[in-house]
Amino acid sequence: MDSAARPILFVSLPESGLLNPLLVLAGELARRGVPDLWFATDEHRRAEVEALSDASPVSFASLGEVISELSAVTWGDDVYREVTQSSRFKAHRAVIRQSYKPALQARKYRALERIVDEVRPALLVVDCVAGFAVDLALTRNIPYVLNVPFVASNVLTSHNPFGPSYTPKNFPVPNSGLPLAMSGRQKLANTLFKWRTLGMFMNPGMGRVLREDAAIRKELGITPPNAMTRVDRAAAVLCASVAELDYPFDVPDKVHLVGAVLPPLPEAPDDDEVSSWLDGQSSVVYMGFGTITRLTREEVGALVEVARRMADTHQFLWKLPKEQQHLLPAAGELPANLRVESWVPSQLDVLAHPNVSAFFSHGGGNAYHEGVYFGVPQVVRPLWVDCFDQAVRGQDLGVSLTLDRPHTVDPDDVVDKLTRVTTDPSFRARAERLGALQQAAGGRKTAADLVLDRLTTA
């Protein structure tokens, strides 16, 4: 078979932060006319995948309906409160307990197994959180490219004191939100984070889960991995970042830092309404907190108050999901400088607009890199896991500020942070410099070239 006609199968969990970069990458290959492109994810994302077809089609392969226990968007409010609590370690532990469900992961593994038997891919391109896809690639000996939408250290740093790691011994543990330059107390917290993670797996309840996992792996013939197997065995690792947006360490050769993986812009050229409104403003603060954040009535009211207090200096564009808009005050009570949308056709087009002065976000991997890519200063209210890591890096790099108490919304604090990042020109200057480095890294084009290179050598 001609190497240019060997199937590439993309595999991703359905969460937007993981899925979107792979949709962009698959779309780039489709525009280039690369044949035999397949994309496996949960059923409700079918239309987005099928819309990627261009010079060549992208075939959708269903992994079935969403399994609510595995999808953060559908977790109950009690779980949401656990995984977003103020204790970094307890939140980290809650995420592991909630998402480490061997029997449910096995359902996705079996669904992907059927797809692989049909497609017979020469190469998988896998989101780094889709462990079932890495397991299948290893068990079937299928070459795979791992896609990382976070800073590279997120997947290269061990969570326990004895695990293999590509970063130095005292490097901040992922999900800890700790800086590189730590106080003595922070160094102790960093060490304890690793030991407590190790200890978590010695708990009797977790022991039962480990035994269940071992039994399922034996039944399915899955190769048991270690903590760094997904990186070590990958044909390549694509990271949507650059070295300058992380703390310094020696990045292994197989990890390719390509910068933010974004589609061609404008992404929504027919969006006259929002773009025309942006054209007519002198300064806009864009507020978007991702698809997982669930604001309370008090937090929504506090954000409305922030817009009211800054009416003399900024307009506000707020992407607030429709299901949370009932928490807003009555329409007549909203300040005139606040525009609320349940969805914007393209967050990227908004961030690229020259009149956007600041981005107020949850600090997720995509948000962090997209804001910097377009040279926009940021204020961050980190939500959970990796958000705290990106927030502390952005603050140390001088491109963002983090709320003092991110588990509340204090209007005084938010107004202070937004005022500082929009009036001190150094924030924009540093963001623009780092954004230029991301743009030079090549993004989707470099990522597509690397995938095709791995295909020809598979």
Side-chain angles (χ1 to χ4, degrees):
M1 182 184 296
D2 177 37
S3 62
R6 298 162 67 194
I8 301 174
L9 174 60
F10 291 82
V11 188
S12 179
L13 294 175
E15 275 68 31
S16 296
L18 303 168
L19 181 78
N20 287 349
L22 288 183
L23 291 175
V24 172
L25 182 51
E28 174 67 17
L29 295 179
R31 281 188 295 276
R32 295 187 186 189
V34 176
D36 292 318
L37 299 174
W38 291 75
F39 203 116
T41 189
D42 287 4
E43 178 63 34
H44 72 289
R45 295 292 197 173
R46 177 184 289 270
E48 292 163 89
V49 170
E50 292 178 341
L52 298 173
S53 295
D54 201 295
S56 62
V58 180
S59 300
F60 178 77
S62 180
L63 290 174
E65 299 300 331
V66 172
I67 298 176
S68 60
E69 295 92 333
L70 301 181
S71 175
V73 177
T74 60
W75 287 345
D77 288 341
D78 56 337
V79 175
Y80 178 82
R81 286 190 293 271
E82 269 200 283
V83 302
T84 60
Q85 63 183 289
S86 58
S87 167
R88 305 283 192 277
F89 175 76
K90 290 180 180 179
H92 165 72
R93 180 177 62 191
V95 170
I96 292 174
R97 287 177 173 174
Q98 179 62 26
S99 57
Y100 186 23
K101 308 284 188 181
L104 299 179
Q105 293 282 353
R107 281 167 54 182
K108 292 301 180 186
Y109 181 94
R110 291 185 178 99
L112 182 59
E113 197 172 35
R114 291 190 289 271
I115 293 166
V116 165
D117 286 341
E118 175 189 352
V119 175
R120 301 181 65 82
L123 183 71
L124 298 182
V125 183
V126 180
D127 106 56
C128 65
V129 183
F132 64 92
V134 174
D135 283 340
L136 184 58
L138 293 172
T139 301
R140 294 288 191 91
N141 200 27
I142 303 170
Y144 67 95
V145 172
L146 198 68
N147 190 72
V148 179
F150 320 112
V151 292
S153 59
N154 180 279
V155 298
L156 297 174
T157 305
S158 174
H159 282 88
N160 75 69
F162 302 115
S165 187
Y166 286 99
T167 55
K169 180 179 179 181
N170 295 319
F171 201 87
V173 185
N175 305 342
S176 68
L178 290 168
L180 182 64
M182 299 182 206
S183 65
R185 185 173 182 177
Q186 288 172 324
K187 289 178 182 177
L188 177 61
N190 194 49
T191 299
L192 287 176
F193 201 101
K194 294 181 182 181
W195 280 101
R196 293 176 75 187
T197 299
L198 180 64
M200 176 174 56
F201 288 92
M202 297 177 182
N203 176 279
M206 187 60 76
R208 289 191 292 272
V209 177
L210 289 169
R211 288 192 294 274
E212 177 191 7
D213 190 25
I216 289 172
R217 287 178 177 276
K218 183 177 180 180
E219 176 191 347
L220 295 175
I222 298 174
T223 304
N226 64 44
M228 282 296 158
T229 296
R230 60 177 174 169
V231 170
D232 294 338
R233 295 284 298 277
V237 178
L238 301 179
C239 182
S241 188
V242 291
E244 291 81 1
L245 286 172
D246 201 351
Y247 294 133
F249 67 97
D250 293 331
V251 179
D253 291 341
K254 71 164 54 182
V255 177
H256 301 272
L257 301 167
V258 301
V261 178
L262 309 181
L265 298 183
E267 188 179 22
D270 299 327
D271 171 33
D272 294 330
E273 187 175 351
V274 172
S275 61
S276 296
W277 180 82
L278 288 169
D279 289 342
Q281 313 308 320
S282 59
S283 177
V284 175
V285 173
Y286 174 57
M287 301 196 301
F289 302 104
T291 56
I292 296 175
T293 299
R294 304 178 194 180
L295 298 170
T296 65
R297 186 176 298 277
E298 292 73 19
E299 290 164 350
V300 168
L303 291 169
V304 171
E305 176 62 19
V306 167
R308 181 177 287 111
R309 293 188 190 182
M310 304 189 80
D312 292 341
T313 52
H314 303 290
Q315 297 291 312
F316 282 72
L317 174 61
W318 187 2
K319 186 178 73 173
L320 180 65
K322 187 176 181 179
E323 58 269 21
Q324 296 184 40
Q325 290 190 15
H326 71 282
L327 302 174
L328 288 163
E333 299 175 22
L334 294 176
N337 67 321
L338 175 61
R339 176 173 180 146
V340 179
E341 297 284 349
S342 59
W343 190 251
V344 294
S346 171
Q347 175 168 286
L348 301 175
D349 290 350
V350 171
L351 291 172
H353 198 284
N355 293 340
V356 172
S357 300
F359 182 22
F360 186 14
S361 82
H362 64 306
N366 289 332
Y368 173 62
H369 289 98
E370 290 166 6
V372 173
Y373 185 94
F374 294 109
V376 180
Q378 300 178 52
V379 172
V380 182
R381 183 197 180 219
L383 177 66
W384 69 333
V385 291
D386 67 290
C387 299
F388 288 93
D389 299 332
Q390 275 117 205
V392 72
R393 284 157 175 76
Q395 182 153 305
D396 284 351
L397 291 167
V399 299
S400 67
L401 292 174
T402 304
L403 297 190
D404 292 339
R405 294 180 297 280
H407 287 84
T408 64
V409 179
D410 177 358
D412 291 338
D413 186 26
V414 177
V415 169
D416 172 63
K417 299 294 192 299
L418 285 173
T419 300
R420 288 165 61 188
V421 301
T422 54
T423 58
D424 182 344
S426 67
F427 284 94
R428 180 167 287 275
R430 286 187 285 259
E432 288 178 344
R433 180 183 67 81
L434 291 167
L437 292 174
Q438 284 205 81
Q439 293 168 33
R444 72 177 188 281
K445 293 183 178 179
T446 298
D449 289 343
L450 288 163
V451 167
L452 293 177
D453 179 64
R454 296 309 178 277
L455 178 65
T456 58
T457 58

